[in-house]
Every structure is written in C-alpha cells, then in structure tokens.
Amino acid sequence: MSKILIIEDDPLLRENTAELLGLSGYEVFTAANGQKGVKAAKELLPDLIICDIMMPVLDGYGVLKVLSMEETTKFIPFVFMSAKTENKDIRKGMALGADDYLTKPFEETDLLGAIESRLAKIAILKERNSLALTVGDVFQIATIDDLKCHIKNKGKSYDFKIGEYVYKEGDHVNMVFIIIRGVVKTHRLDEQGKELITGVYKESDFFGFGSFGNTPFYAESATPLEHTTLVGLRNEEFRNILQQNSLLSYELMKLLAVNLSETKTQLLEMAYGSVRKKTASTILKFAEKLETDAEGCIHILRTDLASVAGMATETLIRTLSSFKKEGLIEIKDRNIKVIDIEKLKKIQ
C-alpha cells in the first residue's frame, strides 16, 4: 500500500482529500502547515507528497526546497495543488523540482490520475535503474534536478562580465548552459537592427537549447546582465542523456512548454497591450529575475526594458516618469525600486 502525505492548511480540503485517497486504497497522512509537513515527510518517507502552495509558517515552495536538500526525501514525487495558476507560479514550482501541478478546484479523476502516473513513473525508474547500474551513470539522470546536478558536476565552468557574449546569433550550437549565479538575457536583432529580448534567465535556469535539434546555429544571442557564472555541457552529451532517458525528455518538454507559453504572452502584450501595461509587466519580469541591492533597487538599462516591452526607449522613459509620479516606483540614478507591486499588476 502506497503512503501519501497531504500538506494543506485548509482543514476541510485536507480531510476530504485524505478520505478520498483512503477510499482509493492509499495509506494517507496529513499535515496542517508546511513546517509540520517537512517534519512528517522526514519521519514517514512517503511514496508521494501532495502540497498546497499558499500556507502559513512555510509555504509549498519552501517545503519543496527543504525536502529537495535532504538525501532521504529529495526523490519523493511532489505534486503541488493550488489556486495559483499563472505561468510564473507553475514555472517556479517546476524549476524547484515539482513533478505535477493540480489547480484548485480539481476533479477526483485528475487527482487520482496525477498520483497514479507519478507512482508508476517511480516504479519504472526503480526497475530501470536496477538494470542500468552496470551501464553507466547517464542512465541515473531521471529528473530535471538530476540533469542540473550532472551538468554542474560534469560540465565546464565559465565566467562572464556584463556585455560579454556567451554566444552570438549565428554561432554554431555546441553547449547547453545552466546559471550558477547571475542573470543572462537572450536577444535577437530585427532587419532594422533593433534589439528584441527573447528571454531573461536567473540562477538554476537552463538556456542555450532553444535551437537544439536539427538547426546547427543559435537563433539568438546571449549576454549577461550582471557578473555571471555558468556551467556548460556539450551538445553531444546532452543528446545522449535525452536519448537514454525518455522520462527526463518528457519533463524537459513540460518545462519548455511553460517557457513557450510565457513567450506567447509576452508577444501578445507587445502586439496589443497598452504602453502602461507593457511597461508594468516588464518591470515585474525583471524584478522577479534580478537581485535587489541594499536599498531594494534593481539595476537595469532602459534599453533592455524597452527591448523586452517592445517600445521605443523614449516612450518607456516617459512611462517610467508617470509611474514615479503615481508612487508605483522610485527611480534613483539608473536604478528602479518597486513600491506598489499590486498596483503594477493591475495596470491595463
């Protein structure tokens, strides 16, 4: 009988879910908040954990982060359930190593299906790994976290300063990168030579395989926004890992699908959003990626903001001045401090 731990602060939802899973043949344990959930997970070592995101004391992201650092719990399948449905929330959970994501309210079939698929995956991995021990450690890379650890341990380290190219548009694709520290932007030039930022990546993010496949050349350039340390893995080894680990390929596809959805949202905003909406969204995007200084400010070039927002730099500067007058942001030299994040989110 598989053991399942439910971490949920809503007592009605917690008990109803526990009853449903109990009737379905699972041995169920519950915890009323994240801190209790971490303790229960370490003691019980369940076969699967279902966890809410928004909880007091320690939220779901914190629970997953703590458990992923423990040798005894880091491989336990982890399923988020939450009313938070924005792409950035899903992406954050997946980047931390979550296996699945259920949106409240969810159907009974969705819950049971997610559990059954996760448990089946673990059973397959255990069986496969027991047969692959003599073949090599490449077969042991079964999750996104495993892949990150492999790249960090086996890849080559690089340091880049602001403005240096990691690679240029048109360069031959030869590596996949993971960021150890720092922030990197990817960008392209249109026919008039105007720059468009296609992505912003922070610590623990992958990049460099946007052109991975039959295309031998990078379709965009990559440069750091601050002093950055990367680790790169050669494409030949990356291909070999994916070919030998089909479940890992599926997990990577899910992560890329979320990235693609975010890009589509950005393109829609650029095409149809108001100047104020595009500026606010861009500020929030950079605030999420960049570390703040001692005064809570982020340092970002106005040209980079304008490039992501898809507008002229002069237009962006006028809008920033408007936001400053409204008390939404502060501007100190070239730095920006977000004062009212909720109002920025609501700008249309």
Side-chain angles (χ1 to χ4, degrees), residues 5 37-46 66-67 70 72-73 76:
L5 173 62
V38 168
K39 182 180 179 182
K42 292 179 179 180
E43 293 176 353
L44 297 168
L45 298 180
V66 171
L67 295 181
E70 296 285 337
T72 57
T73 57
I76 298 175

Side-chain angles (χ1 to χ4, degrees), residues 52-333:
D52 188 22
I53 292 180
M54 301 299 291
M55 295 184 295
V57 185
L58 182 67
D59 67 11
Y61 297 133
V63 172
L64 179 53
K65 188 172 184 179
V66 171
L67 295 181
S68 66
M69 296 172 67
E70 296 285 337
E71 286 297 323
T72 57
T73 57
K74 67 180 182 180
F75 295 120
I76 298 175
F78 199 100
V79 177
F80 274 128
M81 58 177 181
S82 176
K84 295 171 71 66
T85 59
E86 294 186 9
N87 282 333
K88 65 178 182 179
D89 299 314
I90 299 174
R91 187 173 184 273
K92 181 176 180 179
M94 292 180 67
L96 287 171
D99 293 275
D100 211 336
Y101 195 104
L102 291 171
T103 302
K104 299 177 184 178
F106 48 80
E107 299 291 334
E108 176 181 338
T109 53
D110 293 332
L111 175 63
L112 295 177
I115 292 173
E116 290 168 4
S117 65
R118 292 302 105 191
L119 293 178
K121 172 185 172 180
I122 291 299
I124 292 170
L125 291 177
K126 287 181 178 179
E127 180 180 351
R128 188 188 66 187
N129 287 343
S130 66
L131 297 173
L133 288 175
T134 59
V135 180
D137 64 356
V138 70
F139 286 92
Q140 308 304 316
I141 305 172
T143 67
I144 295 294
D145 278 346
D146 291 345
L147 178 60
K148 289 181 178 180
C149 288
H150 181 81
I151 293 177
K152 290 177 181 178
N153 292 331
K154 301 295 185 178
K156 184 177 180 180
S157 180
Y158 300 89
D159 282 304
F160 292 92
K161 298 177 182 178
I162 297 176
E164 291 183 335
Y165 281 97
V166 179
Y167 54 80
K168 293 183 179 181
E169 183 176 347
D171 285 352
H172 196 279
V173 176
N174 55 12
M175 281 196 174
V176 174
F177 296 95
I178 185 170
I179 300 177
I180 304 302
R181 67 179 182 90
V183 180
V184 171
K185 69 174 182 179
T186 53
H187 49 101
R188 301 184 65 174
L189 296 178
D190 64 14
E191 295 179 353
Q192 287 74 43
K194 184 178 179 181
E195 182 186 86
L196 170 66
I197 294 180
T198 55
V200 179
Y201 303 90
K202 59 182 177 59
E203 183 178 325
S204 290
D205 283 346
F206 292 110
F207 73 97
F209 50 80
S211 302
F212 188 75
N214 295 324
T215 305
F217 305 106
Y218 287 112
E220 58 193 8
S221 300
T223 54
L225 292 175
E226 59 187 42
H227 190 130
T228 297
T229 300
L230 310 173
V231 173
L233 187 72
R234 297 194 63 81
N235 264 2
E236 293 80 3
E237 185 171 353
F238 187 65
R239 284 177 181 272
N240 186 43
I241 291 171
L242 295 184
Q243 288 171 354
Q244 302 299 335
N245 298 276
S246 58
L247 290 174
L248 172 63
S249 299
Y250 174 68
E251 295 298 322
L252 190 59
M253 286 171 59
K254 289 199 301 181
L255 185 61
L256 291 174
V258 174
N259 290 343
L260 179 59
S261 179
E262 289 182 344
T263 301
K264 289 181 177 180
T265 299
Q266 178 185 341
L267 291 173
L268 283 173
E269 283 188 357
M270 290 173 62
Y272 302 110
S274 69
V275 168
R276 287 173 58 82
K277 173 66 175 176
K278 288 189 286 189
T279 304
S281 297
T282 304
I283 292 172
L284 293 172
K285 181 187 292 289
F286 277 104
E288 179 185 349
K289 299 286 185 178
L290 296 175
E291 293 289 336
T292 58
D293 62 18
E295 297 182 352
C297 298
I298 57 173
H299 177 75
I300 181 67
L301 295 176
R302 302 298 186 262
T303 52
D304 283 340
L305 283 170
S307 176
V308 172
M311 66 178 71
T313 304
E314 295 78 8
T315 303
L316 176 105
I317 291 173
R318 287 196 297 270
T319 310
L320 290 178
S321 296
S322 174
F323 286 176
K324 180 180 178 181
K325 292 178 182 178
E326 295 171 35
L328 304 180
I329 63 173
E330 287 183 5
I331 300 177
K332 300 180 179 180
D333 298 324

